[in-house]
Amino acid sequence: MSHRSRSPARLLVALLLVCLAFDLIVLGWGETPSAIARRLFSGTWGTPYGIGQVLFKATSIAIAAVAARIALRAGLFNIGVDGSIAVAAIAVGAVGAKLPPDVSPLVAWPLLAIVGFVAGGLWAMPAAVLRARFGAHEVISGIMLNKIASSFVGYLLVRGLAEEASVHTRALPRGALLTRLDHLGAMFHGLRGSAVNVALLVAAVVVLAWSFVARRSIFGRELAAVGASPSVAEASGLPIARHIILALGLSGAVAGLTALNDVMGYKGYAEEGLSAGVGFTGLAAALLAGESTIGLFAAALLFATLSQGGLSINARIPMDVVDVIVALLILLVSSGEGLSRALLGPPAPAAKGPTSPR
Amino acid sequence: MKAMQAMKAMQAMQAMQAMDALVELSAVTKTFGSGAGAVRALDDVGLVLRAGSVHAIVGENGAGKSTLLKVAAGVVVADGGRVDVFGTPLVPATPREAIRRGVGMVHQHFMLVPTLTGLQNLALGFEPTKHGLLDFAPLAAQVAALQKELDLPVRIDVPVGTLSVGEQQRLEILRVLLRVAGGGRGRVVILDEPTAVLAPSEAAMVLELARRLAREGAAVALVTHRLDEVAKFADEVTTMRRGRVVAHHPPGDAAVRDAALLAQEALGDTGVSTMSPPQAADESSPVVFAMEEVDAEDEAAGRITGVTLRVHAGEIVGIAGVEGNGQRALELVAAGLLRPSRGRIELDGADVTRMLVRERRARGLAFIAGDRHRYGLAEELPAADVIRLGGLGEVSTGPGASLVDERALERAFTDAAAAFDIRPIDASLAAGAFSGGNQQKIVVARELRTRRGAVPRLVLAAHPTRGVDARVARMIRDALTSVAARGGGLLIISSDLAELRALSHRIVVLRGGTVVAELRADASDDQLGAAMMGGETGREAHA
């Protein structure tokens, strides 16, 4: 019923059904499922380049998933992750372009990370404050802010941020670019050409750090109390308005760190629509993973694989099939309890205990 | 000839008896959780609900009473054993199927939508239509007929949130009766602690209804902690202890009328407590809590007008009244959850009128909420977190005291479990997996704890022993009085007059949202009753 528990059996059922749906769609298109599946696999995990691309995509998805998870902990659904990502990217691009050409990575990397973090967090503030002070639903204001963000980014680019005769910011100086993994040594040479970069490590740290904070810190546990029951949390004396603002703000701020991967690690500049949709994929990965840390890594890799694989099957079958698969997977997992009960019989007794009616 | 007749009579009687058993549970087992945290809620339990009989199920908190009846109503699926309804197994074991067969349950926690009217609530799930449009008229007529037949007064044309708890409960009973009436083969009505939240006059109304239903051929199951009710209203009694049936007294057994014996069976000791009024408090001690001319109103919680009251250090002040006369508004205003529109509130000498719960707690407020699910404990959190909800800072460690000291937290739970006999002693179990009584113990243990050696300045407690068994109730009352003995003030809202009288130094009576009387604890029942009812008698007072 919540995003908290995911039994392996349930996930397995969902995955099997998704495979079945994939087969049916591919057959309906007049292709052979096994051939398409082989193509999907060889385009991703089949070559070092493919692996590199999957890891590159998984980096942003994992960071966005942590952003979503921070809000989910407090019972909030931060659909505005995508807007925070867009605004953070343009902020990092704009500030990065202003850095001197010979800037040192020791200055540029942390500075731009802070810029992305702050920009993403600030963009989440309107939704956060509206929710905490006036009870406005964060999904509605989040959707609106996403629209505003994409228009805002376009406006800024047109109004002078973009380089002459282009639709992107000026290129970042060399020192502001994140090192690609294939430059790190002989063992990574196979990844050549793929965009995977050291932001991958940042993503890993962000995932692990939040898992620790959520589980072990007083703040993380109090967020869980707010998420479990805001009225109980309030009556217990928790500062719920403050916690809601912090949760959504931190969620947006962490989302802003995706600019490290997409702007500093990949493009070297910011443009409209760069990393669009990553926020939603991140939300999906967070929902799929529940509260599991390993699950989050796995979900990020899965969605990255599907996204990259979509490109390699596009010649034979529209890559939209991947979107259908992802959507089905989310539907199946979120409606999973009733579904798996229908298929597998009643669930093993959970720690939830007697089903007291509410 | 005579022998033939006798045989026939015997066969008829046997057939009758077989028919009489409307619901039959045998060898039922149920375990919640798994591994070390597993709780055996039911262990090889049998129960027969017969037509024409009020069957009381008694036992202490967590004995498995509610779970057993939920199995009968299809709400909880048993791990093993047999559930027969009207002679055939209950398959599928769902509430829908149980209702279809004529078995309905009124739960401890009402399942009503507060913003809808009573009639709309009754219609929920089987809305009556005419030409595809909603048509409430036939249902309203049906409800009116049923109300008249059963003498069951409830206003069904106003939002449920504005009804008293007693009315809400009668509405729930109406709903169940409407739904199970279909079969026409007699019906089974299960009442889970129906009187726990009711004032005495309303409790009597429900129990008399139970008797009347039984007389008309229904099988009634009744869970209660009030053994005097059992002795007065039940035909047969099943006693449970720790998931097992320890005794069954069939109709006619003298034990059914023997509250002391039942208490001994259920608790393993003579659980009947001897409550006596406390010594008078020292009126010269400082005022720890005061309300001056306070007005407040809330759609759901009701209204108070011009309420003035004081609580001195070491004093216990009880708030009495028929449910729905402003007690909830008073509770929320005193806690800081409802802002007054007029007046002034002081806590420990400081003006806290505009302060939130958080700030009042920092000044020494402890709050045992009447609505445990809304304000007391979050069911999905582990019990350890609940025992220090809002106070995790007391078990902090690490840099900047930002981390939870898990060991200290677990110790906090096991200490509380030892002090209040919370079962099971499993800090990682979700709070919602504990029985209702044990949940209440968790809340009480949390609120009455000493922080850095200091007792709370004011304990605001609404219905602190509601739904807990006699032994635990005594434990909770002792804990409350010990706060007063150590200098804390207490404001206790309760519908249990015996409890208020035993605990309080003074009793303040609320009627229609205003203070109508202030009585000494040794005031007579008549005095209290007159103040609560405003001189009227009988049941007009509930409306």
Side-chain angles (χ1 to χ4, degrees):
Chain A
M1 61 138 233
S2 72
H3 61 282
R4 289 172 198 285
S5 52
R6 299 271 175 270
S7 78
R10 268 174 60 184
L11 286 179
L12 201 67
V13 169
L15 285 173
L16 283 175
L17 286 173
V18 163
C19 290
L20 189 69
F22 174 82
D23 289 352
L24 290 175
I25 294 170
V26 173
L27 282 172
W29 197 260
E31 289 281 354
T32 8
S34 60
I36 297 293
R38 209 174 301 123
R39 221 183 157 91
L40 197 152
F41 184 81
S42 65
T44 53
W45 297 92
T47 65
Y49 169 76
I51 293 174
Q53 282 301 96
V54 167
L55 291 177
F56 161 68
K57 297 203 166 189
T59 302
S60 287
I61 294 173
I63 294 174
V66 172
R69 173 181 279 190
I70 292 169
L72 281 173
R73 182 105 181 139
L76 301 164
F77 201 80
N78 188 9
I79 208 147
V81 165
D82 222 47
S84 285
I85 289 174
V87 170
I90 198 75
V92 168
V95 174
K98 294 263 189 259
L99 293 176
D102 56 349
V103 66
S104 153
L106 288 179
V107 176
W109 290 4
L111 175 73
L112 292 180
I114 290 168
V115 167
F117 190 82
V118 170
L122 283 178
W123 194 257
M125 273 304 127
V129 172
L130 286 173
R131 172 74 207 217
R133 296 281 170 229
F134 307 107
H137 203 289
E138 75 279 1
V139 168
I140 307 296
S141 36
I143 291 172
M144 296 303 161
L145 282 166
N146 284 348
K147 294 279 178 209
I148 297 171
S150 67
S151 307
F152 182 55
V153 167
Y155 173 83
L156 287 179
L157 285 167
V158 172
R159 284 287 162 155
L161 268 188
E163 205 173 19
E164 199 75 15
S166 82
V167 289
H168 55 77
T169 60
R170 278 199 301 123
L172 268 53
R174 180 171 260 290
L177 299 179
L178 289 183
T179 314
R180 299 266 170 108
L181 287 192
D182 55 2
H183 294 302
L184 280 184
M187 66 178 285
F188 295 115
H189 272 193
L191 299 171
R192 181 158 317 167
S194 82
V196 62
N197 58 79
V198 292
L200 179 65
L201 304 178
V202 175
V205 170
V206 166
V207 172
L208 295 175
W210 174 251
S211 289
F212 181 81
V213 169
R215 278 166 209 174
R216 296 294 318 280
S217 78
I218 289 175
F219 174 64
R221 300 277 273 270
E222 289 185 353
L223 276 194
V226 173
S229 168
S231 60
V232 168
E234 185 188 10
S236 310
L238 289 177
I240 51 167
R242 182 172 153 258
H243 277 11
I244 285 172
I245 290 174
L246 276 175
L248 283 174
L250 189 61
S251 170
V254 167
L257 292 179
T258 51
L260 266 64
N261 190 41
D262 293 326
V263 177
M264 296 162 67
Y266 170 44
K267 287 280 184 180
Y269 53 75
E271 65 183 351
E272 198 177 347
L274 175 71
S275 49
V278 165
F280 298 107
T281 315
L283 256 173
L287 289 174
L288 189 64
E291 293 204 328
S292 155
T293 305
I294 294 171
L296 192 89
F297 284 120
L301 285 174
L302 174 66
F303 285 125
T305 305
L306 287 172
S307 158
Q308 178 65 21
L311 297 174
S312 59
I313 60 169
N314 203 18
R316 304 274 293 273
I317 183 168
M319 61 187 291
D320 305 72
V321 67
V322 167
D323 293 339
V324 175
I325 295 300
V326 168
L328 265 178
L329 188 59
I330 295 166
L331 273 177
L332 287 171
V333 169
S334 51
S335 65
E337 195 151 322
L339 189 74
S340 68
R341 185 174 316 181
L343 292 168
L344 300 172
K352 190 81 177 97
T355 48
S356 62
R358 306 197 218 191
Chain B
M1 232 9 214
K2 263 195 168 167
M4 277 283 281
Q5 267 179 350
M7 252 194 26
K8 267 197 176 153
M10 249 173 76
Q11 275 173 348
M13 251 176 73
Q14 277 170 352
M16 277 268 290
Q17 272 172 356
M19 252 179 55
D20 275 358
L22 302 189
V23 171
E24 193 163 1
L25 279 67
S26 46
V28 169
T29 58
K30 178 72 193 175
T31 305
F32 290 117
S34 55
V39 185
R40 190 120 229 215
L42 295 175
D43 190 0
D44 191 17
V45 176
L47 180 75
V48 179
L49 301 180
R50 290 182 186 84
S53 164
V54 175
H55 191 150
I57 321 288
V58 300
E60 55 184 347
N61 297 127
K65 309 177 296 287
S66 293
T67 309
L68 179 64
L69 292 176
K70 280 178 183 168
V71 169
V75 177
V76 165
V77 182
D79 298 335
R82 234 182 118 84
V83 183
D84 286 324
V85 176
F86 293 101
T88 50
L90 183 67
V91 180
T94 61
R96 179 182 290 265
E97 177 65 13
I99 287 169
R100 200 183 68 76
R101 304 256 205 110
V103 181
M105 178 161 182
V106 178
H107 292 274
Q108 249 179 82
H109 309 293
F110 306 148
M111 293 178 290
L112 298 166
V113 183
T115 50
L116 296 184
T117 67
L119 188 60
Q120 287 165 339
N121 267 287
L122 291 174
L124 270 188
F126 62 146
E127 290 80 357
T129 55
K130 187 177 176 186
H131 310 308
L133 297 173
L134 280 178
D135 181 17
F136 284 108
L139 179 66
Q142 198 187 348
V143 171
L146 193 62
Q147 280 190 298
K148 197 165 168 212
E149 179 196 334
L150 295 171
D151 189 16
L152 200 63
V154 191
R155 289 170 294 158
I156 58 168
D157 50 355
V158 295
V160 162
T162 62
L163 298 179
S164 75
V165 177
E167 277 184 295
Q168 291 189 19
Q169 176 156 59
R170 293 198 288 278
L171 192 66
E172 282 278 17
I173 294 174
L174 260 182
R175 170 152 74 179
V176 166
L177 291 178
L178 275 174
R179 295 199 178 173
V180 300
R185 293 172 293 181
R187 48 205 173 189
V188 181
V189 179
I190 296 170
L191 303 169
D192 192 0
E193 294 195 32
T195 57
V197 297
L198 300 187
S201 66
E202 297 197 307
M205 201 189 299
V206 168
L207 293 167
E208 277 157 19
L209 175 70
R211 281 248 47 88
R212 210 153 49 233
L213 288 172
R215 212 159 40 232
E216 287 165 14
V220 179
L222 173 72
V223 173
T224 180
H225 287 300
R226 299 187 181 170
L227 297 174
D228 51 329
E229 289 176 353
V230 174
K232 208 162 155 201
F233 290 96
D235 296 304
E236 55 186 314
V237 182
T238 292
T239 317
M240 295 185 71
R241 203 191 299 167
R242 302 201 183 189
R244 292 180 146 269
V245 169
V246 289
H248 173 244
H249 304 291
D253 188 334
V256 175
R257 305 273 165 259
D258 189 345
L261 175 74
L262 292 175
Q264 193 163 17
E265 277 176 8
L267 304 176
D269 65 34
T270 57
V272 184
S273 65
T274 48
M275 298 194 280
S276 59
Q279 302 290 309
D282 184 1
E283 296 265 330
S284 65
S285 58
V287 173
V288 290
F289 181 77
M291 292 173 73
E292 309 278 353
E293 292 291 317
V294 171
D295 290 1
E297 184 162 11
D298 179 81
E299 200 172 304
R303 182 163 52 98
I304 51 173
T305 316
V307 167
T308 297
L309 57 86
R310 282 193 182 76
V311 181
H312 295 86
E315 188 186 26
I316 305 181
V317 176
I319 304 286
V322 176
E323 194 91 21
N325 275 276
Q327 291 95 325
R328 277 201 291 163
L330 177 70
E331 173 192 348
L332 298 186
V333 165
L337 286 162
L338 175 62
R339 185 153 286 190
S341 55
R342 188 174 72 96
R344 182 182 157 87
I345 302 167
E346 279 182 19
L347 176 62
D348 206 14
D351 183 351
V352 298
T353 316
R354 320 292 300 172
M355 285 190 189
L356 304 170
V357 192
R358 175 176 179 70
E359 299 157 293
R360 294 189 192 187
R361 280 183 175 277
R363 288 171 186 276
L365 170 74
F367 175 36
I368 298 168
D371 188 341
R372 188 171 63 226
H373 292 266
R374 178 129 188 233
Y375 298 119
L377 111 184
E379 296 198 341
E380 58 185 275
L381 292 184
D385 282 37
V386 172
I387 207 86
R388 283 293 176 273
L389 200 56
L392 281 173
E394 292 162 40
V395 287
S396 62
T397 179
S402 61
L403 300 181
V404 177
D405 183 343
E406 307 291 352
R407 287 180 134 182
L409 183 59
E410 191 170 340
R411 209 175 321 119
F413 178 79
T414 43
D415 287 353
F420 284 90
D421 192 22
I422 297 166
R423 270 177 276 167
I425 306 178
D426 180 356
S428 64
L429 196 64
F434 288 80
S435 72
N438 279 300
Q439 290 180 12
Q440 185 68 7
K441 294 187 225 170
I442 290 174
V443 172
V444 171
R446 174 182 77 218
E447 296 301 329
L448 298 188
R449 73 187 188 268
T450 52
R451 299 171 181 84
R452 286 177 228 98
V455 291
R457 297 302 294 151
L458 177 79
V459 176
L460 170 63
H463 314 287
T465 62
R466 177 188 284 176
V468 304
D469 62 55
R471 194 170 55 94
V472 178
R474 199 169 46 195
M475 223 181 257
I476 291 175
R477 288 188 197 111
D478 287 348
L480 289 169
T481 36
S482 94
V483 171
R486 287 186 288 162
L490 288 93
L491 187 61
I492 297 176
I493 301 167
S494 177
S495 47
D496 184 341
L497 285 183
E499 168 169 290
L500 279 185
R501 209 182 266 124
L503 281 176
S504 317
H505 301 110
R506 277 188 295 136
I507 297 179
V508 172
V509 181
L510 274 186
R511 192 175 76 237
T514 59
V515 174
V516 292
E518 209 181 298
L519 301 166
R520 283 162 46 92
D522 53 10
S524 71
D525 267 353
D526 284 349
Q527 278 176 297
L528 265 172
M532 286 165 64
M533 305 291 186
E536 301 168 46
T537 49
R539 64 182 51 141
E540 288 78 32
H542 80 272

